[in-house]
Amino acid sequence: MVIEGASRPADRERLHLSVAEDLENRILSGSLPIGDRLPSESAIARDFNVSTRSVREAMQILETKGLVRRKHGERAMIVRDDVAEFLGTLATTVRQLFSTNPDYLVQLMDVRRMIEVEVIGALVARENPITPEIDAAMNKLRETAQAGEFGKFTDCDAAFHRALVQSAGNDVMAVLYNNLYGLITDVIRVTSRVPVKSLDVACAEHERLYDLIKNRDEAAAKEAIAAHINNSSAYLQVAIAKAQNKETQE
């Protein structure tokens, strides 16, 4: 691979920054394909008319940004598609925060609301907003409600919201949501035990949201999902307060 049209930076102190910026632009634009290996450091140095030291410094910047991966004795590989691994690490960090401070769970609900409200906008912008995945999730929710299976219903509740996000067409948002999905499911299990609400009522709330999306009523659908998550957040705060009071009494 030859880096054609490489720029020739003049400022020696900024040579590595110019090389890193040029390569980053090419990676993000797709002209340097994901999965390919960059030329050797000496070849890049010739293309840019810089020292190999400047190239190594540029590679370090790109590696820090998650755009390349380097192994000793091998040419750097373009790994911009390694988003899932990065977000998996992020989710682990978030889970560690929750273990030290339960109040972060309430903030998770804020993040969830922001994501899902935007998802509604993306779905209703389509001519056919209900995907087969959303349909299947809604059918499963109905079945568990009719069977009175409380435990399974909470899992189906989480799966329905996941189907909405996955159907929105934003891969990065879907990966992020998937990495937080276990936490979101746990929160739904906790919050579902606070209010006195029958499965029929809970299912009806999802039926209404489903119909609003299907009818492409954006304003009402966004309002419905925001209210739904806000209620869950309020229930979560009650559950956290009860748990903290119990710990204090013990």
Side-chain angles (χ1 to χ4, degrees):
M1 179 191 294
V2 177
I3 310 296
E4 298 181 356
S7 58
R8 301 293 189 269
D11 186 345
R12 288 186 178 278
E13 294 183 357
R14 295 179 56 81
L15 290 178
H16 68 289
L17 296 177
S18 298
V19 174
E21 182 179 358
D22 191 298
L23 292 175
E24 179 178 353
N25 289 337
R26 292 165 188 269
I27 292 171
L28 296 179
S29 69
S31 62
L32 293 178
I34 294 166
D36 280 9
R37 293 190 181 275
L38 291 173
S40 65
E41 291 182 356
S42 58
I44 296 175
R46 288 195 301 271
D47 288 338
F48 284 90
N49 193 26
V50 299
S51 68
T52 53
R53 177 180 177 180
S54 293
V55 174
R56 282 194 294 273
E57 292 173 345
M59 289 297 107
Q60 186 173 359
I61 292 173
L62 295 176
E63 188 173 34
T64 300
K65 291 185 175 183
L67 297 175
V68 302
R69 182 185 298 134
R70 294 184 296 172
K71 289 185 179 180
H72 182 69
E74 298 181 2
R75 291 180 291 139
M77 176 178 288
I78 300 168
V79 292
R80 185 191 168 204
D81 62 338
D82 201 19
V83 170
E85 181 178 337
F86 168 76
L87 290 176
T89 302
L90 175 62
T92 300
T93 302
V94 171
R95 188 177 283 273
Q96 290 171 346
L97 287 174
F98 293 153
S99 67
T100 58
N101 186 353
D103 290 339
Y104 279 114
L105 288 169
V106 177
Q107 295 184 31
L108 170 65
M109 300 299 280
D110 291 338
V111 172
R112 182 186 164 200
R113 183 180 61 251
M114 293 173 194
I115 291 175
E116 295 193 34
V117 168
E118 289 303 312
V119 162
I120 295 298
L123 291 174
V124 300
R126 303 174 182 173
E127 185 174 351
N128 297 304
I130 300 296
T131 65
E133 292 75 17
I134 296 174
D135 250 335
M138 189 65 238
N139 286 333
K140 194 67 177 176
L141 200 64
R142 294 186 187 108
E143 291 173 6
T144 54
Q146 291 169 1
E149 298 175 315
F150 183 86
K152 288 185 178 180
F153 182 87
T154 57
D155 290 342
C156 291
D157 182 342
F160 173 77
H161 290 272
R162 185 185 194 180
L164 294 180
V165 175
Q166 290 180 325
S167 299
N170 187 312
D171 292 339
V172 173
M173 183 163 57
V175 170
L176 174 60
Y177 195 90
N178 286 343
N179 276 283
L180 296 176
Y181 180 69
L183 285 168
I184 291 172
T185 303
D186 290 343
V187 169
I188 289 176
R189 290 195 186 106
V190 171
T191 57
S192 64
R193 298 179 186 279
V194 175
V196 180
K197 182 191 297 184
S198 70
L199 291 186
D200 288 340
V201 172
C203 185
E205 289 182 0
H206 290 81
E207 289 277 14
R208 178 172 181 270
L209 177 59
Y210 174 92
D211 289 339
L212 290 172
I213 296 172
K214 185 175 182 179
N215 295 330
R216 302 175 67 189
D217 189 339
E218 181 174 2
K222 284 184 173 181
E223 182 180 351
I225 202 162
H228 177 73
I229 296 174
N230 286 342
N231 286 338
S232 294
S233 183
Y235 300 150
L236 178 61
Q237 292 180 63
V238 171
I240 290 174
K242 286 184 177 180
Q244 291 174 337
N245 288 337
K246 184 178 180 180
E247 289 179 359
T248 302
Q249 292 173 358
E250 292 177 352

